[in-house]
Amino acid sequence: MHNISSTFSLMFRRSASFLYDCLLLIALFFIITAIAIAFNHGEAIQSPAYYFALYLVGFLFFDWFWRHGGQTLGMSAWRIRVEGRQHESISFQQSLIRYLSGSLLFIFTLFYMLFNDDNTALHDKLSKTRIVLYYK
């Protein structure tokens, strides 16, 4: 049986770091939306391509940070980082699987940690990655 206290602690760190990163993404989405509205003559954008573009920008944001240092700004603030199972940097394929499964299964993937002995979320398991704590 694994330590439930450390699992909840890691779930909190992951959630808090994601909240930090969402604030950055929201700011980025505002900028992209302002530019898109300017090109749309001030009209609301209702195209599915626009929403897909925002989803793609979200992926590019996380992918770049995860593959260049293993952590986003939010992850850095909460002293966690993502890495491969053998302590290596993650690949593009791992990043893509992690983003797709994490965003599509969001809350379910974290609850998976409660039933898993190695404190990995479902999107970690699927992408063969893990979150580790680090200390300065």
Side-chain angles (χ1 to χ4, degrees):
M1 184 72 181
H2 65 286
N3 185 347
I4 197 73
S5 176
S6 67
T7 301
F8 279 125
S9 173
L10 189 56
M11 285 175 72
F12 175 78
R13 283 177 182 256
R14 292 173 76 130
S15 299
S17 90
F18 182 68
L19 178 62
Y20 278 35
D21 293 332
C22 282
L23 295 175
L24 291 171
L25 273 177
I26 288 169
L28 187 58
F29 289 169
F30 271 122
I31 292 167
I32 292 168
T33 301
I35 293 168
I37 287 175
F39 281 109
N40 202 33
H41 309 292
E43 297 294 319
I45 302 166
Q46 298 179 8
S47 168
Y50 165 73
Y51 296 106
F52 178 75
L54 290 181
Y55 191 73
L56 182 63
V57 166
F59 168 69
L60 294 174
F61 171 86
F62 284 106
D63 176 61
W64 193 89
F65 282 106
W66 288 340
R67 292 194 303 134
H68 296 89
Q71 57 187 180
T72 61
L73 185 60
M75 293 170 84
S76 178
W78 286 93
R79 295 190 176 116
I80 57 176
R81 92 174 158 259
V82 64
E83 61 183 29
R85 293 212 179 127
Q86 306 301 322
H87 307 286
E88 76 279 7
S89 297
I90 69 171
S91 67
F92 176 80
Q93 181 180 2
Q94 287 175 303
S95 179
L96 181 62
I97 292 169
R98 183 178 171 78
Y99 182 76
L100 291 173
S101 58
S103 62
L104 298 175
L105 302 172
F106 179 64
I107 200 71
F108 301 110
T109 187
L110 285 180
F111 282 124
Y112 179 81
M113 291 176 67
L114 296 172
F115 307 103
N116 192 359
D117 286 339
D118 59 358
N119 278 347
T120 57
L122 182 57
H123 61 279
D124 293 322
K125 182 80 84 191
L126 294 172
S127 64
K128 297 182 175 109
T129 60
R130 65 188 186 143
I131 293 290
V132 294
L133 293 171
Y134 75 94
Y135 301 96
K136 292 181 180 180

